[in-house]
Amino acid sequence: MKPMNKNTKNSCINDFDPSALDEVTAVKQILKSIAKIKESETINIMDSLGRVSSKNIKSSIDIPSFRNSAMDGYAVNIKNLEKNEYTLVEQGISLAGQPYIKKLKNQGTVRVMTGAVIPDNSDAVIMKEMTDLKDNMISFPKLMQKNQNIRNIGEDIKKGATVIKKGRQINYVDLGILSSLGIAKIDVVRKPVVSFFSTGDELVSINKKLKKGQIYDSNRYLLFGLLNELPVQIKDMGVVKDDERILVKKLQECSKISDIVITTGGVSVGDADYIKSALKVVGKVNFWKIAIKPGRPLAYGKINNASFFGLPGNPVSAAVTFQIFIIPAIRRMLQMTTSSKLTLNAIVKSNLSKKKGRVEYKRGLLEQKDGVYIVNTTGLQGSNILSSLSKANCYIRLSSETNNINKGDIVEVIPFNINL
Ligand code: AMP
Ligand code: MG
């Protein structure tokens, strides 16, 4: 086993805490207490990317709505072709948007472009490249199949089919589908309002000079980045000092304008940690410790109608707890459809230290070599080490029952950008 680095050793979240709630129970409790947003709004589809549909959307037309060609070529009737020894006369041209609407004559063929209407009595389209044109006579190959290169009515989307389900987050394909159906506006769930602020006497704005002992407030930017990926209205409420009275006021103010209030820092048991006591004054503390690393001190509660998340101050803890607890809460609020989490099994390249009794998320770099997934940690794993999160493309999730992991063991890996 690798010796633990100094960072990990000194961490306040290193020791087993029997009073901490397990991760799964914590998520369940959060989801149970989240109120779903009932309001919706009608918006242009161009503004709907990332938003959540509040209704099932059905198609009022067939796609395609007419039989058309999948190729540039000639529309034929196979029986007529056989009768005419595979040579026909061009009787007309059908272009996309400029249909030729007459039927095929006994000896005729129609030159058709991709997407063009084909004659009603045609039953195959032959690619242009497979034909020979001589003196207005077109000769065709003998081998062909009925319906080849023909796009049938409704083969993509049938009239009346549900194309978007309630709870779906609109993506680029949906924009393509909605527009192909002529739908200009859709109903989406109102964006939840999420306000957040940082707490800590040591925090300084990024445009100021640092004095000894001060640090730049990075969590607010990190949270802003995380929230930006979600269909929420973001309210940046700044920085608040470690002062219970001011915290109480700020929490109250935030709760009045938000569905979710998030803070970072001041949630542990240090001399300047006032979040829990402030929460008690303005609202209700549901729980405040979870058996995970990083991120054990996490206060969850209610202030008026808003859900409150007091995240730890260490940046990696703040990011991980946001992903594990806040993203599912926001999804529930928006009534988003849930998909089962995709995880991979990978062979770990080095020994990992792990204590039983809590879930641990390590920052990992996942690679694929000869079809096998291999993962390594990305450096120091202290909850203050943001650079190792920056190098990571996955979390290695070690379950509560797991002890130390040996090099070569199989571990569960959650790749970024797959589940979230
Ligand atoms: P706390 O949870 O307040 O005890 O803070 C834990 C650690 O996170 C301390 O080292 C803090 O200085 C640091 N920290 C707290 N808030 C922030 C922030 N907004 N940006 C960067 N680091 C922070
Ligand atoms: Mg603090």
Side-chain angles (χ1 to χ4, degrees):
M1 194 189 108
K2 258 186 173 177
M4 274 198 275
N5 64 62
K6 228 173 137 203
N7 244 304
T8 319
K9 219 174 179 178
N10 289 341
S11 165
C12 66
I13 55 169
N14 199 27
D15 300 315
F16 175 66
D17 182 345
S19 68
L21 205 61
D22 76 273
E23 181 199 29
V24 177
T25 310
V27 172
K28 272 191 194 148
Q29 287 195 14
I30 291 169
L31 293 185
K32 228 171 94 184
S33 72
I34 291 287
K36 294 174 181 169
I37 292 181
K38 301 258 163 58
E39 303 95 325
S40 65
E41 53 181 328
T42 308
I43 59 171
N44 289 326
I45 59 164
M46 281 301 258
D47 301 318
S48 73
L49 263 185
R51 299 294 297 274
V52 179
S53 178
S54 61
K55 283 186 184 151
N56 286 332
I57 302 175
K58 286 187 176 177
S59 170
S60 60
I61 56 172
D62 283 307
I63 303 277
S65 57
F66 54 89
R67 281 202 327 149
N68 69 84
S69 176
M71 292 282 174
D72 293 331
Y74 290 93
V76 300
N77 177 289
I78 296 177
K79 276 208 176 111
N80 285 349
L81 199 57
E82 285 164 359
K83 280 185 209 153
N84 290 288
E85 287 171 1
Y86 296 93
T87 303
L88 298 170
V89 184
E90 182 180 309
Q91 67 177 73
I93 304 176
S94 191
L95 295 138
Q98 292 179 45
Y100 175 88
I101 41 174
K102 288 184 197 154
K103 287 198 170 181
L104 287 177
K105 294 176 187 159
N106 288 342
Q107 283 153 357
T109 178
V110 170
R111 186 137 58 96
V112 291
M113 311 302 141
T114 306
V117 172
I118 56 169
D120 287 349
N121 61 338
S122 61
D123 58 6
V125 169
I126 320 298
M127 277 169 75
K128 193 177 177 184
E129 295 88 327
M130 300 182 76
T131 62
D132 263 333
L133 174 70
K134 222 182 256 167
D135 306 330
N136 212 27
M137 299 296 286
I138 298 127
S139 42
F140 291 90
K142 294 205 167 76
L143 269 179
M144 67 187 65
Q145 273 179 356
K146 211 171 171 175
N147 289 323
Q148 73 176 36
N149 301 325
I150 290 180
R151 297 168 173 168
N152 283 311
I153 293 171
E155 73 173 20
D156 184 3
I157 298 168
K158 291 214 161 40
K159 186 175 170 176
T162 302
V163 287
I164 306 277
K165 285 199 174 139
K166 179 181 170 183
R168 179 176 171 95
Q169 190 169 26
I170 303 297
N171 66 18
Y172 73 97
V173 187
D174 300 323
L175 290 192
I177 288 192
L178 290 166
S179 52
S180 70
L181 298 171
I183 296 171
K185 288 174 185 283
I186 61 165
D187 293 333
V188 293
V189 184
R190 167 178 73 78
K191 284 183 177 179
V193 180
V194 182
S195 62
F196 61 101
F197 61 90
S198 298
T199 73
D201 288 343
E202 75 279 34
L203 302 177
V204 175
S205 293
I206 52 177
N207 48 11
K208 297 220 172 104
K209 268 221 141 110
L210 290 179
K211 291 186 193 136
K212 178 113 180 164
Q214 294 183 324
I215 58 167
Y216 289 120
D217 169 20
S218 61
N219 284 348
R220 222 151 35 88
Y221 294 86
L222 189 117
L223 282 186
F224 176 79
L226 285 161
L227 286 165
N228 237 299
E229 310 244 302
L230 299 159
V232 297
Q233 194 184 328
I234 302 168
K235 284 203 188 292
D236 179 351
M237 302 298 281
V239 183
V240 175
K241 294 269 176 218
D242 292 315
D243 179 321
E244 189 182 308
R245 208 176 44 85
I246 308 175
L247 284 170
V248 163
K249 246 181 96 185
K250 195 78 170 179
L251 287 175
Q252 228 143 18
E253 181 193 339
C254 288
S255 74
K256 285 182 190 145
I257 54 164
S258 325
D259 298 290
I260 292 180
V261 180
I262 305 171
T263 62
T264 64
V267 77
S268 196
V269 291
D271 288 354
D273 291 341
Y274 297 113
I275 283 290
K276 200 163 51 105
S277 53
L279 178 60
K280 267 189 192 156
V281 175
V282 285
K284 180 175 161 255
V285 184
N286 288 35
F287 55 80
W288 72 283
K289 272 189 287 185
I290 302 175
I292 64 166
K293 183 189 171 183
R296 185 181 66 169
L298 178 144
Y300 177 69
K302 289 271 166 185
I303 311 169
N304 298 316
N305 289 326
S307 297
F308 172 77
F309 293 87
L311 305 186
N314 276 307
V316 178
S317 306
V320 171
T321 49
F322 183 97
Q323 288 161 331
I324 297 173
F325 302 107
I326 299 183
I327 289 178
I330 291 174
R331 292 178 67 93
R332 171 61 60 94
M333 215 167 234
L334 285 157
Q335 304 187 52
M336 283 169 78
T337 32
T338 47
S339 47
S340 54
K341 274 203 165 180
L342 285 180
T343 60
L344 301 173
N345 288 333
I347 299 169
V348 70
K349 263 174 147 174
S350 56
N351 296 336
L352 304 176
S353 62
K354 162 73 173 66
K355 283 196 175 164
K356 263 192 176 181
R358 66 180 177 215
V359 176
E360 290 193 20
Y361 287 85
K362 310 265 185 199
R363 285 137 262 173
L365 188 66
L366 179 69
E367 293 169 294
Q368 196 173 12
K369 279 207 181 117
D370 303 324
V372 178
Y373 292 120
I374 296 164
V375 70
N376 206 355
T377 49
T378 52
L380 293 179
Q381 295 289 311
S383 51
N384 58 324
I385 309 288
L386 203 49
S387 57
S388 62
L389 183 55
S390 159
K391 289 176 196 139
N393 64 3
C394 68
Y395 288 128
I396 303 168
R397 184 182 185 276
L398 305 175
S399 70
S400 185
E401 305 77 45
T402 313
N403 238 326
N404 287 333
I405 299 283
N406 296 315
K407 180 181 170 180
D409 284 353
I410 303 268
V411 290
E412 183 188 9
V413 161
I414 306 171
F416 295 160
N417 302 325
I418 288 192
N419 301 305
L420 305 177

